[in-house]
Structures are given as structure tokens and as C-alpha cells.
């Protein structure tokens, strides 16, 4: 009787952890979660320009179409080739050309841009939840897989 009771409790706990929210309809894309609605982030490629002491990454356009009022957004990813545990989030600045820019010095300095902390948790087999662990100010942001120039951009208002 005790074994049966223990098994029933164990199975009920497993059933409670099952994810029942919205699911991305596209693989390897990043979606903002707004309650039961998903908003796909803008995808693109950052143009890399190597300079003497720094590297400049530029994304076309002054702002992203995907926007959120949330200062600590939550993202959902149905990952096939994209590794949610190897993503970096950076705040972008508006450049002179009207695009979004990120300048990273070759030698890290005290005020160098740093990635914003995020936490990735597997919800189901290929479904991941990625949460920003810091308060985001209003502005433009891009998420990029480590070592790639592919970007997923959004704005916070």
C-alpha cells in the first residue's frame, strides 16, 4: 500500500511539471512570451567590422519590429540547431548611420560591453525557456549564438 501511494504521489508531481503554454510554430527562432501570445524576434546578421583596437557589430535599422514592455523578458525556443545555453544578449546603441551598433574592444576594459545574464531551462524535449536575469532599460537588444553573427533583435519600451 505504501509503495502504491509513493508511486501515485511521484506520478502526480511529474504531471504538474508538464508545460501547457504557447509553443513556437517555427524551429530555431526566438519568441518573446507575452502571456499566451508569442512574438517572433527579428532575425538578421550583424555586419562585423574589425578595427585597430575594437570590433564593431552593426545591425540594419534603427529599431526592431518585436517589442516588449517587460524589463525581464521571457523567451521560448523550439531548438533544433540553436543551443539556448550558448546565447548572449547585448544592448545595442543607435549608430551614426541610423543602424544599431555594438562596439567591443579587443582588450577588455572596465567599461566594456558585457553580455546580459540569461538562464535557459528545458521545458520539454526541444522546447526551452530563456529568462533574462537582469533588469533591461528601455532600448534595443540583440541575442546572438556564441561565435556567430546571427542575431535575434527586440526592443524594450
Amino acid at each position: 500500500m505504501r509503495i502504491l501511494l509513493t508511486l501515485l504521489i511521484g506520478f502526480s508531481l511529474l504531471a504538474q511539471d508538464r508545460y501547457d503554454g504557447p509553443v513556437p510554430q517555427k524551429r530555431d527562432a526566438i519568441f518573446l512570451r507575452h502571456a499566451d501570445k508569442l512574438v517572433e524576434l527579428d532575425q538578421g546578421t550583424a555586419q562585423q567590422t574589425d578595427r585597430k583596437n575594437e570590433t564593431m557589430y552593426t545591425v540594419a535599422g534603427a529599431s526592431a519590429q518585436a517589442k516588449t514592455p517587460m524589463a525581464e523578458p521571457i523567451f521560448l525556443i523550439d531548438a533544433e540547431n540553436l543551443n539556448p545555453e550558448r546565447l548572449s544578449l547585448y544592448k545595442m546603441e543607435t549608430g551614426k548611420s541610423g543602424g544599431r551598433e555594438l562596439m567591443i574592444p579587443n582588450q577588455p576594459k572596465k567599461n566594456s560591453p558585457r553580455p546580459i545574464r540569461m538562464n535557459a531551462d528545458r521545458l520539454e524535449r526541444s522546447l526551452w525557456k530563456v529568462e533574462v536575469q537582469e533588469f533591461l532599460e528601455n532600448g534595443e537588444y540583440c541575442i546572438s549564438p556564441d561565435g556567430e553573427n546571427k542575431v535575434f533583435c527586440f526592443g524594450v519600451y
Side-chain angles (χ1 to χ4, degrees):
M1 189 66 142
R2 286 183 184 170
I3 295 172
L4 181 60
L5 183 59
T6 303
L7 287 173
L8 286 174
I9 291 171
F11 285 125
S12 68
L13 290 175
L14 286 174
Q16 290 175 352
D17 289 344
R18 186 173 175 96
Y19 177 75
D20 65 348
V23 178
Q25 299 299 311
K26 190 173 178 184
R27 294 190 76 114
D28 291 329
I30 301 177
F31 291 81
L32 273 165
R33 181 171 180 188
H34 287 168
D36 288 335
K37 181 181 172 192
L38 297 179
V39 177
E40 185 175 357
L41 299 190
D42 301 358
Q43 289 188 46
T45 302
Q47 299 302 314
Q48 180 177 335
T49 307
D50 295 317
R51 299 181 179 172
K52 182 179 178 183
N53 296 320
E54 58 200 14
T55 302
M56 170 77 78
Y57 296 93
T58 306
V59 178
S63 65
Q65 295 291 321
K67 300 205 181 289
T68 184
M70 298 178 359
E72 293 178 299
I74 296 172
F75 305 98
L76 290 176
I77 306 167
D78 186 359
E80 182 175 22
N81 298 313
L82 190 63
N83 183 349
E85 295 176 308
R86 307 276 307 162
L87 297 174
S88 295
L89 170 62
Y90 285 95
K91 185 171 193 320
M92 306 294 282
E93 301 297 331
T94 303
K96 296 175 185 173
S97 64
R100 292 160 280 173
E101 298 178 345
L102 174 65
M103 182 89 61
I104 298 186
N106 295 340
Q107 297 295 325
K109 299 176 184 174
K110 186 177 182 179
N111 296 333
S112 296
R114 60 174 183 73
I116 297 166
R117 289 185 316 227
M118 297 191 299
N119 185 44
D121 292 314
R122 186 186 306 261
L123 298 175
E124 291 181 356
R125 185 173 166 183
S126 64
L127 184 63
W128 291 76
K129 175 175 73 171
V130 177
E131 296 178 278
V132 176
Q133 300 296 306
E134 298 180 36
F135 184 82
L136 300 183
E137 299 174 355
N138 290 352
E140 296 295 317
Y141 295 85
C142 287
I143 298 173
S144 181
D146 292 347
E148 297 183 32
N149 286 5
K150 184 176 190 175
V151 291
F152 300 88
C153 301
F154 67 99
V156 175
Y157 63 93

